[in-house]
Amino acid sequence: MDIAIIGASGFTGGDLIRLLLTHSQAEVTCATSRKEEGATVDSVHRNLKGLCDLKFTDPETRTVDADFAFLAVPHTVAMNYTADLMERGIKTVDLSADYRLPPDVYEETYGVAHKNYFKAPYGLPEIHREEIKGSSFVANPGCFPTGATLAAAPLAGMAETVIYDSKTGVSGAGVAPTATNQYTNVADSLKAYKWTNHRHLSEMKQELAFLGSDADCHFTPHLLPVNRGILTTAHILLKEPVEQAEAEKLYEDYYRNEFFVRLQNPTLAEVRGSNFCDIAVESEGRRIVAVSAIDNLVKGASGQAIQNMNIMCGYRENDGLVNAPVFP
Amino acid sequence: MDIAIIGASGFTGGDLIRLLLTHSQAEVTCATSRKEEGATVDSVHRNLKGLCDLKFTDPETRTVDADFAFLAVPHTVAMNYTADLMERGIKTVDLSADYRLPPDVYEETYGVAHKNYFKAPYGLPEIHREEIKGSSFVANPGCFPTGATLAAAPLAGMAETVIYDSKTGVSGAGVAPTATNQYTNVADSLKAYKWTNHRHLSEMKQELAFLGSDADCHFTPHLLPVNRGILTTAHILLKEPVEQAEAEKLYEDYYRNEFFVRLQNPTLAEVRGSNFCDIAVESEGRRIVAVSAIDNLVKGASGQAIQNMNIMCGYRENDGLVNAPVFP
Amino acid sequence: MDIAIIGASGFTGGDLIRLLLTHSQAEVTCATSRKEEGATVDSVHRNLKGLCDLKFTDPETRTVDADFAFLAVPHTVAMNYTADLMERGIKTVDLSADYRLPPDVYEETYGVAHKNYFKAPYGLPEIHREEIKGSSFVANPGCFPTGATLAAAPLAGMAETVIYDSKTGVSGAGVAPTATNQYTNVADSLKAYKWTNHRHLSEMKQELAFLGSDADCHFTPHLLPVNRGILTTAHILLKEPVEQAEAEKLYEDYYRNEFFVRLQNPTLAEVRGSNFCDIAVESEGRRIVAVSAIDNLVKGASGQAIQNMNIMCGYRENDGLVNAPVFP
Amino acid sequence: MDIAIIGASGFTGGDLIRLLLTHSQAEVTCATSRKEEGATVDSVHRNLKGLCDLKFTDPETRTVDADFAFLAVPHTVAMNYTADLMERGIKTVDLSADYRLPPDVYEETYGVAHKNYFKAPYGLPEIHREEIKGSSFVANPGCFPTGATLAAAPLAGMAETVIYDSKTGVSGAGVAPTATNQYTNVADSLKAYKWTNHRHLSEMKQELAFLGSDADCHFTPHLLPVNRGILTTAHILLKEPVEQAEAEKLYEDYYRNEFFVRLQNPTLAEVRGSNFCDIAVESEGRRIVAVSAIDNLVKGASGQAIQNMNIMCGYRENDGLVNAPVFP
């Protein structure tokens, strides 16, 4: 199967190519970039030198030729490509935010009216696998909502209040140099940002509602001196106490058949570079602490996109995704 | 004034010496260490070479001769020294946990019966300054309770639930090599630890009660790839909503005269090496996020101990503590 | 082919398992560890949870049953296993230093007499591939000599003096906690160590001699705040000047057919987790700067060991080694 | 004494203010910045909040009123201010490169003709103290030449070849966000840059010549994942061998009376934030390894500038510079 990556010069584009190198059925044959058009892919993604001999092409042409596409462009840009892709029958996973929310919530969250909305499955396979199967267009979740929702899901229905305190690596801020990702502003330091009103909160609330929860939901992210990874500490206040053994059993039952969810004390290093989400849970009675760790570029973006592609196309769900985390 | 540091070979001992080099009234004349007895201080604290010509002496002798002492030994050890020091009229700040809690709570928290209890002021000057003045023995607070309590104090009386989500640098784990502070277990990573039952929770609850709060109090710390610093994100669920302007005013009023509390968006780097505690607050209505940043070895230990000494002895409260944070 | 890893609880053991998961012909069926006997492999190498269901077994038994073995035990220990392995016809790559040097040089370098010496090919395939082919026992090179030798090889015969200034990540110091790998001694810092007499110098000299060089050879390593990787800056003083174009051509010709050597400006991040060695060269006339970057645990240890296994067994040389570097 | 800092919004400006807060005779009364004019200093240098109540003023006015000025603007800009400052009798230390080199070497090195040259002492006090005394204008050395020259000085006259292999923290790249200081390009990585032709080489050669050396001089810098600090490994090939004891004695004699040079095994962490230069030396006979560590923003810039001011004005040479390094 021929794969096109629309917007392939950023971190998620690079990781899509890296991971698809090990896929048994799919091959990247087209990587577009407006900014890098004409350059070799390995001159931008220098880690891929010797492994990828493509050149970046122009994303504007309607000549993108592929069986499957990943949209790895910013929100508000992705929506411009979807009509063409659908018309030409190219199945697609959209890594942007453009199809994750209904248009009214989208407009409220992103301050932009949607120009080309249609309903798409929310591509968190552990929760929406059945909707994803057979679909030809999937909206890949945000990085924070992925880790947060997986941490809270088994207890969602019993929660009164859910507070997600997340800590993310710097790659989440993108590849362009800014004060946010300037080394001396990050290294040996930590700060909170978007303390109360981060855009990903809309997705988190939507997923809690989907899971039957009426809990209040709050979210505060922090910027870590780390390349990759999101650790989310979910402080869950329950309607009724749940003891430790019961909490553990809930998580074991919920994730028993999930290859990518591993129930162990999570650290960012031990999921680095992989599509795993490590989760553990501890009870104080009425308060539960559930912690999840993901690689924001993999399970939080490119890896999950490939997982969705595999489900959509009927491949083995972990094809291209069995690379072990690189520790240390 | 001659200063003795009992247990001077660790991080807090080193920082006491570093900071007291700039004190106008006090001079360290005695630094004890069982392990390093006979060695020069600057062979252990190599950053102090050229600035300190003391040798470590044996802490067991009753011959410690000083006007003021800092106990920088572990909990359960400090209590063995206090009788001697008091008998000889040496004013003391104890950096250990031994006199922070009533004996029943101490035993419950630390699993050890107290052998030599007496009541001492809790040395968080922004809250207990009057008790500290004129006292001859002060219990220096734990690092986490310092940052957490200062973050929540202005809203304590209005809170229903307080969740402290703290992130600490590695120096909090002490100088001895262990799996916890092994570089490859920490760098480019993050993990939560003592998710529900950290020892410092007892101090946090005690301070909330002192501030007139009946809130539920929870605490989860995380280990950061950072040398120094604690960032505490206090998620405060209020009984009644408080809007942004009102929240800010509460903090401004509460800390108006506090030299060491600065109301600005906190980052660890911008308090590094200093006794400052940076705090800011943001309202979502019924949920308030208040974030504080301290240097765990300074405002969280040695600097606050000197601040207490200054108050006890009638010196300028920031004497020895006006060094600016080292950024970047 | 069934693989045994003797001494599998350390970093190189973990990376052997991680990489061999993607090998098309080989499977790890035995992982020994004296210290961790009986524990599951994924309780120690938690990054491998869900990917490896072995338990550590006792390395002392003569019952190790495999077609191929990797010795990942310390020097002076490896030599105790080789007789058994050879007698039982188990092909072996030894990752320790025990068979890299002739016995007299070994004794001089390591201060220990060799108990069980035989001559083995030095497993740097880019230089010794023909000796490795068909061999049943290969001595895997040290991490520093690998990066250093590959940086200097094309110019070795023309050099008068070669100074290797190397910078290594902390994983090179092993998994056991010590003052060397204590986080606060390494993070946000740098130091030189073994300034003049590091054990790996013997291998570097041996390789230069093999390459026909009579150059003086010097080596100083430094400890970086980095998990993985060795960057070696080879300062090469030549007998006669070599201009830039000529230098580049020498390297291109030398490494034209080498999959794992990539000629590009090297950074540690862009080889992270992979078996690649990135090299570039710049001329000042009589002084050449040649810089190489490797992952010390992969091309500097486990990956190169698998590369040797592939050559010894007639497999595709990069089988199990095509995972792309994880950047960032 | 009233101090003006011309160009005070960068890292060196911030550190000048930080350090001068502890000076007994000098006070910063003017901080200029074209970009930040009108903003409070502590809104840019947030670490200084509560310690500095100045606002940035416009550097273009001729109304800068001070007894002493620090030029902390880029090279080619500094030369525009010097005539005004001299005319008005304001003693000055220039932290830029504009007066470090004779005009022909300057033009060759920086590719720009000098518009306003005059000869100024090179402000490396350990070597040029007598020239600095009584001067009213001093050229502050580059960060790399400071550490490198101090490492090699005692052996300069005996050297045949000097190779400086330096490793610098990211603050050396300035405060503006670029690909060079983007976190994910630096963290957990290392690279060499300007392998053969860095601008600071001209100063290094000039200093070796001043010290009576006819040695070949080479320099390659590397970019470390570290906030502050330069470690320089000087590989010195001697005309005649010098044994260890003799080498140590040469350094001890050379630096016996220097407060800021400490002879101990250097690490970046142990000079962090301070004006110290730690040096040690090890002999292999004809090759000597001498390693120095400085904080690039202090001894490599702002601290050394204050040291020069102290010498020029007859103050105690370490006034404002006795703050201990912040370790860890």
Side-chain angles (χ1 to χ4, degrees):
Chain A
M1 188 168 70
D2 288 349
I3 307 285
I5 301 172
I6 314 299
S9 67
F11 286 141
T12 53
D15 248 21
L16 281 166
I17 302 173
R18 175 177 73 86
L19 294 165
L20 287 169
L21 287 171
T22 69
H23 200 283
S24 71
Q25 308 291 327
E27 187 182 5
V28 179
T29 55
C30 169
T32 82
S33 167
R34 192 167 304 149
K35 197 179 55 169
E36 303 286 350
E37 187 190 349
T40 60
V41 165
D42 69 1
S43 69
V44 171
H45 300 301
R46 297 174 5 115
N47 59 319
L48 301 179
K49 189 174 168 77
L51 299 170
C52 175
D53 54 8
L54 293 173
K55 287 188 178 176
F56 289 111
T57 54
D58 176 1
E60 287 301 352
T61 72
R62 293 174 177 232
T63 59
V64 166
D65 184 25
D67 304 303
F68 200 99
F70 292 99
L71 283 169
V73 293
H75 70 274
T76 74
V77 177
M79 60 176 84
N80 299 327
Y81 291 101
T82 52
D84 273 358
L85 293 169
M86 294 183 91
E87 192 174 302
R88 303 175 60 207
I90 302 176
K91 290 184 178 181
T92 301
V93 171
D94 175 17
L95 285 80
S96 87
D98 281 358
Y99 295 88
R100 297 175 192 158
L101 302 165
D104 55 333
V105 183
Y106 181 85
E107 185 166 349
E108 191 184 353
T109 303
Y110 290 94
V112 181
H114 206 299
K115 290 183 291 189
N116 181 24
Y117 181 74
F118 50 84
K119 194 162 164 39
Y122 187 76
L124 190 51
E126 288 76 10
I127 293 176
H128 298 272
R129 188 173 284 110
E130 291 309 312
E131 306 164 60
I132 297 164
K133 271 183 201 168
S135 174
S136 61
F137 187 99
V138 167
N140 214 51
C143 53
F144 286 119
T146 294
T149 303
L150 292 176
L155 286 164
M158 309 161 75
E160 193 172 270
T161 303
V162 177
I163 297 171
Y164 296 124
D165 188 297
S166 295
K167 300 89 178 171
T168 183
V170 185
S171 58
V175 79
T178 65
T180 298
N181 60 22
Q182 210 268 32
Y183 183 87
T184 60
N185 285 340
V186 179
D188 211 39
S189 191
L190 184 76
K191 68 169 182 179
Y193 69 99
K194 299 272 180 199
W195 299 17
T196 56
N197 220 2
H198 191 283
R199 288 163 167 182
H200 282 177
L201 183 58
S202 301
E203 291 176 51
M204 294 170 180
K205 289 178 172 175
Q206 176 174 278
E207 284 304 287
L208 283 179
F210 179 87
L211 291 163
S213 173
D214 58 358
D216 286 335
C217 179
H218 306 282
F219 170 49
T220 299
H222 302 74
L223 185 64
L224 281 174
V226 160
N227 282 313
R228 288 169 174 256
I230 293 174
L231 194 107
T232 295
T233 308
H235 303 276
I236 305 172
L237 302 179
L238 299 174
K239 294 170 181 169
E240 303 293 335
V242 168
E243 295 313 311
Q244 181 64 23
E246 187 185 349
E248 286 180 21
K249 185 157 187 322
L250 280 166
Y251 278 73
E252 281 161 16
D253 290 349
Y254 201 93
Y255 290 122
R256 189 176 306 283
N257 298 314
E258 295 299 337
F259 179 78
F260 292 118
V261 178
R262 308 187 299 188
L263 297 179
Q264 66 175 349
N265 193 335
T267 74
L268 293 186
E270 285 160 339
V271 298
R272 189 186 290 139
S274 83
N275 201 49
F276 289 110
C277 176
D278 285 2
I279 302 180
V281 65
E282 198 164 309
S283 169
E284 272 187 330
R286 207 179 75 82
R287 171 188 171 244
I288 297 273
V289 189
V291 181
S292 69
I294 61 170
D295 184 317
N296 59 306
L297 297 179
V298 188
K299 184 63 177 167
S302 303
Q304 186 147 270
I306 294 169
Q307 186 182 357
N308 281 316
M309 176 192 80
N310 287 337
I311 297 169
M312 292 160 76
C313 299
Y315 300 143
R316 187 168 44 82
E317 189 169 326
N318 63 10
D319 200 345
L321 299 169
V322 291
N323 65 310
V326 176
F327 177 88
Chain B
M1 188 168 70
D2 289 349
I3 307 284
I5 301 171
I6 314 299
S9 66
F11 286 140
T12 52
D15 247 21
L16 281 167
I17 301 173
R18 174 177 74 87
L19 293 165
L20 287 168
L21 286 170
T22 68
H23 200 284
S24 71
Q25 308 290 327
E27 188 182 3
V28 178
T29 55
C30 169
T32 82
S33 167
R34 192 168 301 148
K35 197 179 57 171
E36 301 288 351
E37 188 190 348
T40 60
V41 165
D42 69 2
S43 68
V44 171
H45 300 300
R46 294 172 10 113
N47 59 319
L48 302 178
K49 188 173 169 78
L51 298 170
C52 174
D53 55 7
L54 293 173
K55 286 187 178 177
F56 289 111
T57 55
D58 176 1
E60 286 300 353
T61 71
R62 294 174 176 230
T63 59
V64 167
D65 184 24
D67 303 305
F68 199 98
F70 292 99
L71 283 169
V73 292
H75 70 276
T76 74
V77 176
M79 62 175 81
N80 300 326
Y81 291 101
T82 52
D84 273 358
L85 292 169
M86 294 184 90
E87 192 175 302
R88 300 177 61 206
I90 301 176
K91 290 184 178 182
T92 300
V93 171
D94 175 17
L95 284 82
S96 88
D98 281 359
Y99 294 88
R100 297 175 192 159
L101 302 166
D104 54 334
V105 182
Y106 181 85
E107 184 165 349
E108 193 184 350
T109 303
Y110 290 94
V112 181
H114 207 298
K115 289 184 294 191
N116 181 25
Y117 181 73
F118 51 84
K119 192 162 166 38
Y122 188 76
L124 191 51
E126 288 76 10
I127 293 176
H128 298 272
R129 188 173 284 110
E130 291 309 311
E131 306 163 61
I132 296 163
K133 270 182 200 167
S135 175
S136 61
F137 187 99
V138 166
N140 214 52
C143 52
F144 286 119
T146 294
T149 302
L150 293 175
L155 286 165
M158 309 162 75
E160 193 172 88
T161 303
V162 177
I163 298 172
Y164 295 124
D165 188 297
S166 296
K167 301 88 177 171
T168 184
V170 185
S171 58
V175 79
T178 64
T180 298
N181 60 22
Q182 212 268 32
Y183 183 87
T184 60
N185 285 340
V186 179
D188 211 39
S189 191
L190 183 76
K191 67 168 183 181
Y193 68 99
K194 299 272 182 199
W195 299 16
T196 56
N197 221 0
H198 190 283
R199 287 162 167 182
H200 282 178
L201 183 57
S202 300
E203 290 176 51
M204 293 169 181
K205 289 179 171 173
Q206 176 174 278
E207 285 304 285
L208 282 179
F210 178 88
L211 292 162
S213 172
D214 57 358
D216 285 337
C217 179
H218 306 281
F219 170 49
T220 299
H222 303 74
L223 185 65
L224 282 175
V226 160
N227 282 312
R228 288 169 174 255
I230 294 175
L231 194 105
T232 295
T233 308
H235 304 276
I236 305 173
L237 303 179
L238 299 174
K239 294 169 182 169
E240 303 293 337
V242 169
E243 296 312 313
Q244 182 64 23
E246 186 185 350
E248 285 180 22
K249 182 155 190 326
L250 281 167
Y251 279 73
E252 280 161 17
D253 290 348
Y254 201 92
Y255 291 121
R256 189 177 307 282
N257 298 312
E258 295 299 337
F259 179 78
F260 292 116
V261 177
R262 307 187 300 189
L263 297 181
Q264 66 176 348
N265 193 336
T267 75
L268 292 186
E270 284 159 339
V271 298
R272 189 186 289 139
S274 83
N275 201 50
F276 288 110
C277 175
D278 285 2
I279 301 180
V281 65
E282 198 164 310
S283 170
E284 271 188 331
R286 208 179 75 82
R287 171 188 172 244
I288 297 274
V289 189
V291 181
S292 69
I294 60 170
D295 184 318
N296 60 307
L297 296 179
V298 188
K299 185 60 178 170
S302 303
Q304 185 147 271
I306 293 168
Q307 186 182 357
N308 281 315
M309 177 192 80
N310 288 337
I311 296 170
M312 293 160 76
C313 298
Y315 301 142
R316 186 167 46 82
E317 190 168 325
N318 64 9
D319 200 347
L321 298 170
V322 291
N323 64 309
V326 176
F327 177 87
Chain C
M1 189 168 69
D2 289 350
I3 307 284
I5 301 171
I6 313 298
S9 66
F11 286 140
T12 52
D15 247 20
L16 282 166
I17 302 173
R18 174 177 74 87
L19 294 164
L20 287 168
L21 286 170
T22 68
H23 199 284
S24 71
Q25 307 290 326
E27 188 182 5
V28 179
T29 55
C30 168
T32 82
S33 167
R34 192 168 303 148
K35 198 178 56 169
E36 302 288 350
E37 188 190 348
T40 60
V41 165
D42 69 2
S43 68
V44 171
H45 300 300
R46 295 172 10 114
N47 58 320
L48 301 179
K49 188 173 170 78
L51 299 170
C52 174
D53 55 8
L54 292 173
K55 287 187 178 178
F56 290 111
T57 54
D58 175 2
E60 286 301 352
T61 71
R62 293 173 177 229
T63 59
V64 167
D65 184 24
D67 303 304
F68 199 98
F70 293 100
L71 282 168
V73 292
H75 70 275
T76 74
V77 176
M79 61 175 81
N80 299 326
Y81 291 100
T82 52
D84 273 359
L85 292 169
M86 295 183 90
E87 192 175 301
R88 302 176 60 207
I90 302 176
K91 290 184 178 182
T92 300
V93 171
D94 175 18
L95 283 81
S96 87
D98 281 359
Y99 294 88
R100 298 175 193 159
L101 302 166
D104 54 334
V105 182
Y106 181 85
E107 184 165 350
E108 193 184 351
T109 303
Y110 290 94
V112 181
H114 206 298
K115 289 184 294 192
N116 181 24
Y117 181 74
F118 51 84
K119 192 161 165 40
Y122 187 76
L124 190 51
E126 287 75 10
I127 293 176
H128 298 271
R129 187 173 285 111
E130 291 309 311
E131 306 163 60
I132 296 163
K133 270 182 200 168
S135 175
S136 62
F137 188 100
V138 167
N140 213 53
C143 51
F144 286 119
T146 294
T149 302
L150 292 175
L155 286 165
M158 309 161 75
E160 193 172 271
T161 304
V162 177
I163 298 172
Y164 295 125
D165 188 297
S166 295
K167 301 87 177 171
T168 184
V170 185
S171 59
V175 78
T178 64
T180 298
N181 59 22
Q182 212 268 31
Y183 183 87
T184 60
N185 286 339
V186 179
D188 211 39
S189 190
L190 183 76
K191 67 169 183 180
Y193 68 98
K194 299 271 182 200
W195 299 16
T196 56
N197 221 1
H198 191 282
R199 287 162 167 181
H200 282 176
L201 183 58
S202 300
E203 291 176 51
M204 293 169 181
K205 288 179 172 173
Q206 177 174 279
E207 285 303 286
L208 282 179
F210 178 87
L211 291 163
S213 172
D214 57 358
D216 285 335
C217 179
H218 306 280
F219 170 48
T220 299
H222 303 73
L223 185 65
L224 282 174
V226 160
N227 282 313
R228 288 169 174 256
I230 294 175
L231 194 105
T232 295
T233 308
H235 303 275
I236 305 172
L237 302 178
L238 299 173
K239 294 170 182 169
E240 302 293 337
V242 169
E243 295 313 310
Q244 181 64 23
E246 186 185 351
E248 285 179 22
K249 183 155 190 326
L250 280 166
Y251 279 73
E252 280 161 17
D253 289 348
Y254 202 93
Y255 290 122
R256 189 177 307 281
N257 298 312
E258 295 299 337
F259 179 79
F260 292 117
V261 178
R262 307 188 299 188
L263 297 180
Q264 67 176 348
N265 193 336
T267 74
L268 292 186
E270 285 159 339
V271 298
R272 189 186 290 140
S274 84
N275 201 50
F276 289 111
C277 176
D278 285 2
I279 302 181
V281 65
E282 197 164 310
S283 170
E284 272 188 329
R286 207 179 75 82
R287 171 188 172 244
I288 298 274
V289 189
V291 181
S292 69
I294 60 170
D295 183 318
N296 60 307
L297 296 179
V298 187
K299 184 62 176 169
S302 302
Q304 185 148 270
I306 294 168
Q307 186 182 358
N308 280 314
M309 177 192 80
N310 287 337
I311 297 170
M312 293 160 75
C313 299
Y315 300 143
R316 186 167 45 82
E317 190 168 326
N318 63 9
D319 200 346
L321 299 169
V322 291
N323 64 309
V326 176
F327 177 87
Chain D
M1 190 168 69
D2 289 349
I3 307 285
I5 301 172
I6 314 299
S9 67
F11 287 141
T12 53
D15 248 21
L16 281 166
I17 302 173
R18 174 177 73 87
L19 294 164
L20 287 168
L21 286 171
T22 68
H23 200 283
S24 71
Q25 308 290 326
E27 188 183 4
V28 178
T29 55
C30 168
T32 83
S33 167
R34 191 168 304 150
K35 197 178 56 169
E36 302 287 351
E37 188 190 349
T40 60
V41 166
D42 68 2
S43 69
V44 171
H45 300 301
R46 296 174 6 116
N47 59 320
L48 301 179
K49 189 174 168 76
L51 299 170
C52 175
D53 54 7
L54 293 173
K55 286 187 178 176
F56 289 110
T57 54
D58 175 2
E60 286 301 353
T61 72
R62 293 175 176 229
T63 58
V64 166
D65 183 24
D67 304 305
F68 199 99
F70 293 99
L71 283 170
V73 292
H75 71 275
T76 74
V77 176
M79 62 176 81
N80 299 327
Y81 291 101
T82 52
D84 273 357
L85 293 169
M86 294 183 92
E87 191 175 302
R88 301 175 61 205
I90 302 176
K91 290 184 178 182
T92 300
V93 171
D94 175 17
L95 284 81
S96 88
D98 281 358
Y99 294 88
R100 297 174 192 160
L101 301 167
D104 54 334
V105 183
Y106 181 85
E107 184 165 350
E108 193 184 351
T109 304
Y110 290 93
V112 181
H114 207 298
K115 291 184 290 189
N116 181 25
Y117 181 73
F118 51 84
K119 193 162 165 39
Y122 188 76
L124 191 50
E126 288 75 11
I127 293 177
H128 298 273
R129 188 173 284 112
E130 291 310 312
E131 306 164 60
I132 297 163
K133 270 183 201 166
S135 175
S136 62
F137 188 98
V138 166
N140 214 51
C143 53
F144 286 119
T146 294
T149 302
L150 292 175
L155 286 164
M158 309 161 75
E160 194 172 87
T161 303
V162 178
I163 298 172
Y164 295 124
D165 189 297
S166 295
K167 300 90 178 171
T168 184
V170 185
S171 58
V175 79
T178 64
T180 298
N181 60 22
Q182 210 268 32
Y183 183 87
T184 60
N185 285 340
V186 179
D188 211 39
S189 191
L190 184 77
K191 67 169 182 180
Y193 68 99
K194 299 271 180 200
W195 299 16
T196 56
N197 221 1
H198 191 284
R199 289 163 166 182
H200 282 177
L201 183 58
S202 301
E203 291 176 51
M204 293 169 180
K205 288 179 171 175
Q206 176 174 279
E207 284 305 285
L208 282 179
F210 178 87
L211 291 163
S213 173
D214 58 358
D216 285 336
C217 179
H218 306 281
F219 171 49
T220 299
H222 302 74
L223 184 65
L224 282 174
V226 159
N227 283 311
R228 289 169 173 256
I230 294 175
L231 194 106
T232 295
T233 307
H235 303 276
I236 305 172
L237 303 178
L238 299 173
K239 294 170 181 169
E240 303 293 335
V242 168
E243 295 312 311
Q244 182 65 23
E246 187 185 348
E248 286 180 20
K249 185 157 187 324
L250 281 166
Y251 278 73
E252 281 161 16
D253 290 349
Y254 201 93
Y255 290 121
R256 189 177 307 283
N257 299 313
E258 295 300 337
F259 179 78
F260 292 116
V261 177
R262 308 187 299 188
L263 298 180
Q264 65 175 349
N265 193 336
T267 75
L268 293 185
E270 285 159 339
V271 298
R272 188 187 290 138
S274 83
N275 201 50
F276 289 110
C277 176
D278 285 2
I279 301 180
V281 65
E282 198 164 309
S283 169
E284 272 187 330
R286 206 179 76 82
R287 170 188 171 244
I288 297 273
V289 189
V291 181
S292 70
I294 61 170
D295 184 318
N296 59 307
L297 296 179
V298 188
K299 184 63 176 167
S302 303
Q304 185 147 269
I306 294 169
Q307 186 182 357
N308 280 316
M309 176 192 80
N310 288 338
I311 297 170
M312 293 160 76
C313 299
Y315 301 142
R316 188 167 44 83
E317 190 169 326
N318 63 10
D319 200 346
L321 298 169
V322 291
N323 65 310
V326 176
F327 177 88

